[in-house]
Structure formats: C-alpha cells, structure tokens
Amino acid sequence: MPGGKVLAAAWIVGAVLTGCATTTIQETRVVTGQVTDESGRPAVTTPVIIIGRTLELVTPQMEYEERGRQEVKGNTDAEGRYRIEFVPATIGNNFFIFFYDKTGFDRVKFQQPESLDITGLLRRDRTVIVNQILKFQPTWTEVERQIAFYRPDSERGQILRKHGLPDKREGSRTAEGDSEVWWYYADGVSYWFTGEKLTRTHEFTP
C-alpha cells in the first residue's frame, strides 16, 4: 500500500508539471502586439519569432526533455505592429516568443530583449497580445554622435551603423597620410583607412 501511495503521488506531481509547462492546442491562435523603443517610437521591421518546443516528462527524474523545436516568424510593420497566426500543436507543446534574431535585429541600437513564455497565454486565449519595449544600447548616443560627425553616407558612418563603436582603434602616420584601423573582435572584421578612404577590409575568426 505505501508503494501505491508513492506511485499515486508521483503521478499527481507529473500531471501538475505537465499541465503547467506544456499544452496541446489544435485550434488556431493569433499572437499580436506592438514593438516600440524607449521613446515610444515604433521599432520597424523588427523580427518576432515564436519557438515551439516539444517537451516530454521523463520519470523517475521528473524532468522535461526536449524532443524537438520549430518556429514561426514575423516582422513588425511601419507602426511597429506584428501579427502571427498559427496552430500551436503543429510546432510543439511549450512556447516562447522572441523579439530578436541573428539577422534583422538592430543590435547596434537596441539591447537584446529576454524571451517570454507564452504557453499559459496560448492555453487561455485565442488572441494573445504581447507588446515589447526595446531598450537602447548604452553606446547608442555616442554611435549616433559619431555617425553625424563622419556623415551617415560616409564609409565610416556606414560601418558605425552596422557594427557600432570599434572595440579598438589604432592610428599611425604614413607617407600616404594618416591611417587608422578599426577592430571589431566579436564580429571578426577590421577596417583600414587612409585619410577618409577605406583601403582594406580584413576578416578573421572571432
């Protein structure tokens, strides 16, 4: 009998865990909202990704193991709004929304936001509203200042907009004029200038 009580208790705990972390939804759901920056302006063409993980509760460890994941993607429009319509069961039973991607996200201007667990919201509502406010990078004000100094259409201005501030700058004086190297270690690239002209781009392993 005691053994039966233990098994019953384990089953109850497992059922509670499964109910909290996962859900199987065969009906269409809509996830929508608006993405803005800290000043209230819309964040245009920002990626929005919903990741669906397939989780399975493994006993006796009473832990979840991931058996796979799929995703559905969208982008914000000119007003920073997005809308993603999908059937949750087709991509998993545990769901997170990301306002970030390796491509398309303005990492020079904005900090990477945290993902949000929307499993419970999808279980409860057919239409889920998730708004997001993107925080500026601490260096963004200086990046803007330097872009204005060099001009947005200049080679230096375009590099600053793509990568942000260099990790290191090295300058020297040669027979051809003043030269400078901008190093971006995390991105694996350096830019070599003579005067205002970009004379060399070197890529390396980050």
Side-chain angles (χ1 to χ4, degrees), residues 82-135:
Y82 71 92
R83 186 180 188 275
I84 299 176
E85 183 174 333
F86 70 112
V87 177
T90 62
I91 66 171
N93 59 14
N94 175 261
F95 307 94
F96 283 79
I97 187 168
F98 292 76
F99 296 93
Y100 169 82
D101 195 5
K102 290 183 178 180
T103 60
F105 180 73
D106 192 347
R107 63 185 178 87
V108 173
K109 186 175 184 178
F110 300 119
Q111 300 180 47
Q112 179 177 330
E114 296 289 333
S115 61
L116 302 172
D117 187 338
I118 59 172
T119 307
L121 296 175
L122 291 171
R123 183 190 298 116
R124 187 187 68 192
D125 301 323
R126 292 185 178 275
T127 298
V128 174
I129 299 175
V130 183
N131 298 320
Q132 177 70 45
I133 298 175
L134 299 179
K135 295 183 178 180

Side-chain angles (χ1 to χ4, degrees), residues 1-15 59-60 62:
M1 294 299 292
K5 291 182 178 179
V6 171
L7 288 174
W11 183 88
I12 292 171
V13 172
T59 56
M62 303 305 292

Side-chain angles (χ1 to χ4, degrees), residues 61-202:
Q61 295 93 341
M62 303 305 292
E63 294 179 350
Y64 285 104
E65 286 190 3
E66 184 177 318
R67 303 301 190 188
R69 63 173 59 191
Q70 297 185 64
E71 63 184 37
V72 289
K73 294 184 176 181
N75 286 286
T76 58
D77 60 17
E79 296 181 348
R81 301 186 184 280
Y82 71 92
R83 186 180 188 275
I84 299 176
E85 183 174 333
F86 70 112
V87 177
T90 62
I91 66 171
N93 59 14
N94 175 261
F95 307 94
F96 283 79
I97 187 168
F98 292 76
F99 296 93
Y100 169 82
D101 195 5
K102 290 183 178 180
T103 60
F105 180 73
D106 192 347
R107 63 185 178 87
V108 173
K109 186 175 184 178
F110 300 119
Q111 300 180 47
Q112 179 177 330
E114 296 289 333
S115 61
L116 302 172
D117 187 338
I118 59 172
T119 307
L121 296 175
L122 291 171
R123 183 190 298 116
R124 187 187 68 192
D125 301 323
R126 292 185 178 275
T127 298
V128 174
I129 299 175
V130 183
N131 298 320
Q132 177 70 45
I133 298 175
L134 299 179
K135 295 183 178 180
F136 293 119
Q137 288 282 9
T139 57
W140 175 242
T141 299
E142 179 60 17
V143 170
E144 277 192 307
R145 188 192 70 78
Q146 292 195 25
I147 289 174
F149 175 79
Y150 289 115
R151 300 187 319 276
D153 60 344
S154 69
E155 289 173 318
R156 279 186 172 88
Q158 293 175 36
I159 291 169
L160 285 163
R161 191 63 186 87
K162 180 178 180 180
H163 298 284
L165 301 178
D167 297 310
K168 183 179 179 181
R169 303 188 197 211
E170 295 179 319
S172 62
R173 180 162 293 181
T174 66
E176 288 124 8
D178 292 338
S179 65
E180 188 176 29
V181 184
W182 288 8
W183 294 91
Y184 292 94
Y185 297 118
D187 294 338
V189 64
S190 62
Y191 296 96
W192 302 63
F193 303 93
T194 299
E196 295 187 1
K197 185 178 180 182
L198 177 65
T199 56
R200 179 187 173 194
T201 300
H202 172 63

